[in-house]
Amino acid sequence: MQANNFILGDYLQRIGFSRDPTSDAEGVRQLMRAQLQSVPFENLDVQAGKIVSLAPEDIVEKIIYRRRGGYCYEVNGLFAMALTALGINYDIIGARPMFYPQRRPKSHMVLLVKIGAERWLCDTGFGSFGLRAPIGLHQRGEIIAQDDESFLLEHNEHGEYVVKARVKGKWLNQFCFDIHPMEWIDFSLPNYYNSTHPDAVFVKQYLVMQQHPNGRTLLSGNLLKKMMGDQEVISEVSPAELNDVLQREFALKL
């Protein structure tokens, strides 16, 4: 994944990464956490009636230079550009969201990063209880603590990997995936669906999420949720308050 206007130094400045990144597993972990805690997941363009552009140069311009966020294709695409610049191998993988009542298409995108003999699941773009750091496929079956949250990687009956998050004492499925690589162009149709279809959650309501070292803040529709471990504080956001909330909580504006 490359873009003509991607400059590694500008990316590192955007995510507040002040040291030289390394190309090992710890370096990838540090880079992923820095992006998660500085670049919000957000669907403001979709809510404005726009189709999200997957042109790599547009992603760079939007997130790095206009200091916006994006949804999975954009933020994971940007992370892939950083990995490419660092000479780190990875595959682009399609994933199936699992918080719907029925089985859904693979409309989510993640990365499988190859470090030595190990493969690490990286995802900077899941808008609910997404990972806070990479998880190794070799860690399947282990409960993995990341800050005050816990995750679990298991196999399901279809032979897919399933990512689970522990939420209020319960293990909840987040998404599943296999290890077969996809091409960037393969996400054109899922992106069009997520940008335009009336049944797509991104079309239905605002979804903005920012991770913090001690939790995450989520705007879902007109509800602002501040979460720390199993603690959650919820408040309503009126239309008149929306822009102030976006600026204050996510450094965004309409």
Side-chain angles (χ1 to χ4, degrees):
M1 184 69 176
Q2 295 177 302
N4 293 331
N5 57 342
F6 180 86
I7 300 171
L8 181 61
D10 290 351
Y11 166 79
L12 296 176
Q13 185 178 37
R14 171 69 177 91
I15 67 172
F17 203 89
S18 58
R19 51 200 178 277
D20 291 333
T22 59
S23 299
D24 55 6
E26 176 59 19
V28 172
R29 186 192 74 85
Q30 292 175 358
L31 207 66
M32 177 173 159
R33 284 177 62 83
Q35 181 171 322
L36 282 168
Q37 293 177 21
S38 57
V39 177
F41 178 98
E42 52 107 330
N43 68 332
L44 300 188
D45 283 353
V46 176
Q47 284 293 301
K50 301 176 182 178
I51 297 175
V52 168
S53 172
L54 294 191
E57 289 75 17
D58 290 345
I59 293 173
V60 170
E61 174 66 24
K62 177 180 179 180
I63 299 178
I64 294 181
Y65 298 114
R66 290 196 282 126
R67 302 188 69 83
R68 287 279 305 280
Y71 61 15
C72 66
Y73 318 117
E74 299 169 283
V75 290
N76 279 328
L78 185 70
F79 191 66
M81 294 180 207
L83 297 176
T84 298
L86 293 169
I88 299 173
N89 293 323
Y90 60 88
D91 288 321
I92 298 173
I93 302 292
R96 194 184 315 277
M98 297 185 70
F99 44 76
Y100 296 99
Q102 298 88 24
R103 189 168 169 85
R104 297 288 289 251
K106 293 180 179 179
S107 59
H108 183 46
M109 187 194 107
V110 299
L111 302 173
L112 273 186
V113 177
K114 302 174 183 179
I115 304 290
E118 306 291 358
R119 287 177 293 183
W120 296 84
L121 173 66
C122 292
D123 184 10
T124 62
F126 198 67
S128 56
F129 289 93
L131 301 180
R132 304 180 68 83
I135 289 181
L137 297 191
H138 61 281
Q139 296 178 293
R140 179 171 63 89
E142 301 176 22
I143 295 177
I144 300 169
Q146 296 182 347
D147 300 325
D148 292 331
E149 299 179 7
S150 296
F151 298 90
L152 183 63
L153 185 66
E154 292 187 329
H155 269 152
N156 64 12
E157 67 275 15
H158 302 285
E160 301 165 315
Y161 289 92
V162 179
V163 173
K164 298 184 177 184
R166 191 162 181 83
V167 182
K168 297 181 180 178
K170 297 181 179 180
W171 287 107
L172 300 182
N173 293 335
Q174 300 301 303
F175 59 86
C176 65
F177 64 97
D178 56 39
I179 60 173
H180 302 299
M182 295 178 67
E183 297 181 34
W184 183 248
I185 192 66
D186 294 331
F187 293 95
S188 297
L189 289 178
N191 177 64
Y192 186 79
Y193 171 87
N194 280 325
S195 286
T196 64
H197 199 283
D199 288 340
V201 65
F202 305 109
V203 176
K204 289 182 177 180
Q205 63 182 31
Y206 285 100
L207 280 175
V208 186
M209 192 272 289
Q210 181 69 73
Q211 287 196 15
H212 310 288
N214 59 349
R216 60 183 78 216
T217 301
L218 171 68
L219 177 67
S220 179
N222 68 334
L223 296 180
L224 182 69
K225 304 178 182 181
K226 296 189 175 184
M227 297 170 279
M228 185 184 303
D230 286 339
Q231 304 298 314
E232 182 177 76
V233 177
I234 302 176
S235 57
E236 289 192 16
V237 178
S238 70
E241 297 171 316
L242 178 60
N243 208 34
D244 287 341
V245 169
L246 289 172
Q247 290 181 317
R248 182 179 71 247
E249 301 292 343
F250 307 102
L252 297 170
K253 60 182 179 180
L254 295 175

